[in-house]
Amino acid sequence: AQFGGESAVQQAPSTMVLPTGTDTQRAFERVIRDAQDSICAQIAAADGGATFHEDAWVREGGGGGISRVLQNGNIFEKAGVNVSVVYGDMPQEALAAATGRGVDRAGKALAPGERVPFFAAGISSVMHPRNPHCPTMHFNYRYFETQNGVWWFGGGTDITPCYVDAADMKHFHGTYKDVCDKYGDHLFPELKKWADDYFLIAHRGETRGMGGIFFDDKNDWHPARHTEFAKDCLAAVVPAYVPILQKNRHKEVTEEQKRWQQLRRGRYVEFNLVYDRGTTFGLKTNGRTESILMSLPETARWEYCHEPAAGTPEAEAMDCYRNPRDWA
């Protein structure tokens, strides 16, 4: 089967890095593949009603990936965890989409229309629970190289509740603060603000959710330290998120709460299709469409000029989206 330049395979190879690949490429691939195995196993166990379906694929231009999606579970409507290791050359507009710094990451001056040799490895996940009291969660960690030795890391983990539960937010943010604090007291406030700025839906004047951590264009440490930081952040995904699911999964749900969840999912779709760098990069490099759009919820809703009534839990959540708070 063909998927926009990708071909399905029975099983992913033990490594998708070329024999000429660097130590950093191999180390980062190992981190993200181990994390995919571990997180999928723990999320499936927590859900208890569905398992992850796996699609492995190879890319015509070089590299491949492993897409795993759980659907129709006890907790989750849909949860996906994708890994990709791809290389080749890309158009300049794809590089501009992949990094906030744009085409200066090419490592040299580019002629009009000149393509950019690249290597990119990453893990990306979005999990959409059924119950509106259980937040959606997203994480992504990635490593890029372009020609002439230019490299950088990016990623983060963030949470998108429909309703405000201060204890849940303190737990989630506090878990990632503990990870960041091992690398310096300055790091969590910096990456938390970066997340609030990055996940802004500018045309709405509100954030997608209630934040987390985010970073991009990072190459100020040794590559091994960046890789270790990504590994630590990935190890924190389940302890940061699953206790919140277990606390809220059995809460009763009203029709109005489900409607609000659908409206907030509409905002999730808007951000991902208009602003998200990973989505744009994947589509501009002829990536596997089903894997790229795995992040979207199964259902969403849009209403004309909807505004929650003052004093309601929905209005409190909207205030958090419009005025990001410090939780940890």
Side-chain angles (χ1 to χ4, degrees):
Q2 290 288 329
F3 304 98
E6 281 70 41
S7 300
V9 294
Q10 287 295 318
Q11 186 174 6
S14 59
T15 180
M16 292 176 279
V17 175
L18 286 170
T20 54
T22 65
D23 289 344
T24 300
Q25 292 176 5
R26 285 187 286 270
F28 195 79
E29 182 196 29
R30 187 74 270 145
V31 164
I32 61 177
R33 293 186 67 167
D34 287 349
Q36 185 185 41
D37 290 343
S38 174
I39 292 169
C40 286
Q42 292 178 83
I43 291 298
D47 184 90
T51 58
F52 281 88
H53 169 80
E54 177 177 301
D55 288 321
W57 47 273
V58 293
R59 179 174 174 272
E60 184 179 328
I66 306 165
S67 300
R68 293 180 184 167
V69 178
L70 179 154
Q71 296 184 102
N72 196 30
N74 289 334
I75 295 178
F76 296 102
E77 286 188 3
K78 182 168 70 170
V81 185
N82 295 339
V83 159
S84 64
V85 178
V86 296
Y87 45 85
D89 58 73
M90 60 181 165
Q92 294 179 36
E93 59 266 29
L95 177 58
T99 166
R101 295 196 33 184
V103 295
D104 78 334
R105 286 302 203 191
K108 70 168 193 174
L110 297 171
E114 183 179 357
R115 296 177 70 85
V116 183
F118 78 99
F119 170 92
I123 183 170
S124 181
S125 173
V126 177
M127 302 187 185
H128 293 291
R130 296 179 178 279
N131 193 308
H133 299 287
C134 291
T136 288
M137 188 272 302
H138 158 261
F139 66 84
N140 172 282
Y141 293 89
R142 55 193 180 271
Y143 171 63
F144 273 90
E145 290 180 11
T146 57
Q147 60 194 8
N148 297 332
V150 180
W151 57 268
W152 69 95
F153 289 79
T157 306
D158 63 282
I159 196 161
T160 303
C162 297
Y163 292 96
V164 182
D165 184 316
D168 289 349
M169 292 303 95
K170 287 177 182 177
H171 170 76
F172 180 84
H173 287 263
T175 302
Y176 274 93
K177 182 178 185 300
D178 289 345
V179 173
C180 291
D181 283 353
K182 295 197 304 182
Y183 294 83
D185 293 344
H186 69 287
L187 192 59
F188 178 76
E190 174 187 328
L191 302 193
K192 193 272 182 188
K193 183 180 186 308
W194 209 334
D196 290 339
D197 293 343
Y198 176 75
F199 291 108
L200 176 68
I201 308 170
H203 62 272
R204 295 285 190 183
E206 62 195 57
T207 55
R208 185 176 75 176
M210 295 185 192
I213 62 169
F214 178 82
F215 60 97
D216 200 3
D217 300 301
K218 292 285 280 184
N219 60 5
D220 48 338
W221 299 336
H222 188 279
R225 183 172 171 84
H226 281 293
T227 301
E228 191 67 19
F229 179 63
K231 182 178 180 180
D232 287 347
C233 289
L234 287 164
V237 166
V238 169
Y241 185 46
V242 168
I244 297 172
L245 298 175
Q246 301 293 18
K247 172 185 169 181
N248 296 296
R249 61 183 294 186
H250 297 301
K251 285 186 175 179
E252 293 186 6
V253 177
T254 67
E255 185 176 335
E256 178 60 28
Q257 289 168 342
K258 195 66 181 176
R259 173 170 164 254
W260 175 244
Q261 180 192 47
Q262 295 295 301
L263 288 165
R264 292 314 304 173
R265 286 179 172 182
R267 297 295 202 265
Y268 209 92
V269 171
E270 289 178 30
F271 178 86
N272 283 28
L273 294 183
V274 177
Y275 300 107
D276 185 70
R277 288 179 193 159
T279 301
T280 305
F281 174 79
L283 294 175
K284 287 184 179 295
T285 54
N286 198 30
R288 184 174 186 261
T289 305
E290 287 297 323
S291 298
I292 298 164
L293 299 183
M294 171 275 297
S295 64
L296 301 181
E298 290 188 350
T299 59
R301 183 183 182 100
W302 284 264
E303 294 183 14
Y304 183 70
C305 290
H306 180 271
E307 186 71 26
T312 62
E314 291 80 10
E316 182 186 12
M318 183 62 81
D319 182 69
C320 287
Y321 306 139
R322 290 173 174 163
N323 304 285
R325 301 179 185 178
D326 291 328
W327 301 102

